[in-house]
């Protein structure tokens, strides 16, 4: 089965009449890569121990910052491919992520003058809706054509983007299956070489831990 890289190169080498340039393919491939990176950061947060050291927390925070930069760039570029279409208006609703293990992202200390404005008597009054709740970059929904409501892609003349994403997603699925098959083969080898040949309880226990 073709890998995502194979499909990417195939799409780049055979542009369609609807595809003005290769930027859309690069943009979609980057979106899929960002979703993979979100999974890795989410896993790192979940495995962070309750008594994590400053170094461990800083490592996760650095991953979040790097991911945030990629997410922001992708979302900013989305408008150029949507041709002026309101993304939120045409996207299907998404289930909220409920994950209590998520580490708070960048607890910012906001200056009082930024969040409040003085009234006529010189007292500070909190400005409504002045601050938006921060969202962890690993929980941001990455916009892609598959987020559109059923049938909206064709109506909005974005069918070429949907087709490109579908092919890239198929390549990603092929890559995941290939990794799964490789992992199962490795387990089978460990089972045959270590577990079946174990001649004592100690060696059998050690073989089971290795598997």
């Amino acid at each position: 089965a073709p890998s995502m890289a194979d499909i990417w190169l195939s799409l780049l080498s055979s542009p369609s009449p609807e595809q003005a340039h290769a930027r859309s393919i690069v943009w979609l491939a980057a979106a899929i890569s960002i979703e993979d990176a979100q999974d890795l950061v989410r896993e790192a947060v979940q495995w962070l121990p309750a008594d994590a050291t400053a170094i461990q927390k800083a490592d996760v925070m650095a991953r979040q910052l790097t991911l945030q930069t990629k997410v922001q760039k992708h979302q900013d570029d989305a408008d150029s491919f949507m041709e002026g279409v309101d993304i939120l208006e045409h996207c299907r609703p998404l289930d909220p992520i409920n994950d209590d293990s998520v580490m708070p992202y960048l607890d910012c200390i906001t200056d009082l003058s930024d969040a409040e404005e003085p009234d006529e008597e010189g007292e500070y009054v909190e400005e409504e809706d002045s601050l938006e709740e921060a969202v962890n970059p690993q929980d941001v929904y990455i916009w892609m054509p598959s987020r559109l409501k059923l049938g909206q892609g064709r109506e909005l003349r974005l069918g070429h983007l949907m087709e490109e994403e579908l092919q890239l997603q198929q390549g990603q699925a092929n890559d995941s299956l290939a990794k799964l098959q490789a992992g199962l083969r490795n387990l089978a080898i460990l089972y045959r070489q270590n577990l079946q040949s174990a001649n004592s309880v100690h060696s059998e226990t050690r073989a089971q831990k290795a598997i």
Side-chain angles (χ1 to χ4, degrees):
S3 66
M4 181 175 169
D6 294 332
I7 294 176
W8 187 1
L9 291 175
S10 176
L11 288 171
L12 288 174
S13 61
S14 57
S16 65
E18 294 178 311
Q19 183 180 323
H21 42 65
R23 289 183 61 242
S24 62
I25 299 173
V26 175
W27 177 70
L28 289 169
I32 295 174
S33 176
I34 289 173
E35 288 187 328
D36 290 340
Q38 286 180 312
D39 291 337
L40 294 176
V41 172
R42 194 176 296 113
E43 181 181 2
V45 171
Q46 291 175 343
W47 282 98
L48 198 65
D51 56 346
T53 64
I55 294 178
Q56 290 174 317
K57 292 180 180 179
D59 177 67
V60 173
M61 188 68 70
R63 296 188 189 188
Q64 286 182 316
L65 287 170
T66 301
L67 179 60
Q68 175 63 32
T69 301
K70 295 179 180 179
V71 169
Q72 187 62 54
K73 183 180 185 305
H74 173 80
Q75 307 295 60
D76 290 343
D77 292 342
D79 290 336
S80 64
F81 296 101
M82 285 297 295
E83 301 177 0
V85 174
D86 187 343
I87 296 176
L88 296 179
E89 178 183 352
H90 296 281
C91 282
R92 54 186 171 84
L94 297 167
D95 295 331
I97 294 178
N98 183 15
D99 188 354
D100 296 333
S101 66
V102 173
M103 184 177 69
Y105 172 63
L106 293 179
D107 292 332
C108 299
I109 300 177
T110 306
D111 186 72
L112 184 63
S113 60
D114 293 335
E116 301 175 348
E117 292 183 353
D119 61 6
E120 295 179 355
E121 298 179 357
E123 297 180 354
Y124 281 94
V125 179
E126 185 175 353
E127 183 180 353
E128 295 183 0
D129 301 329
S130 59
L131 297 176
E132 295 183 358
E133 184 179 355
V135 179
N136 291 287
Q138 66 268 22
D139 296 334
V140 175
Y141 285 109
I142 303 303
W143 189 91
M144 288 194 288
S146 56
R147 301 292 192 201
L148 291 171
K149 298 175 183 177
L150 185 63
Q152 287 291 317
R154 301 296 178 184
E155 293 180 10
L156 298 173
R157 298 181 180 276
L158 298 175
H160 60 291
L161 287 179
M162 299 185 69
E163 179 62 28
E164 291 167 2
E165 182 193 350
L166 177 60
Q167 293 185 53
L168 290 171
Q169 294 280 17
Q170 289 174 339
Q172 182 194 36
N174 292 337
D175 291 344
S176 298
L177 287 174
K179 292 179 181 178
L180 178 60
Q181 290 172 344
L184 291 175
R185 284 195 295 268
N186 290 335
L187 286 177
I189 292 174
L190 288 173
Y191 179 80
R192 287 196 301 268
Q193 291 182 346
N194 299 335
L195 191 59
Q196 288 185 337
S197 61
N199 53 14
S200 67
V201 175
H202 176 71
S203 59
E204 181 178 350
T205 302
R206 186 171 56 184
Q208 289 176 343
K209 290 182 178 180
I211 295 175

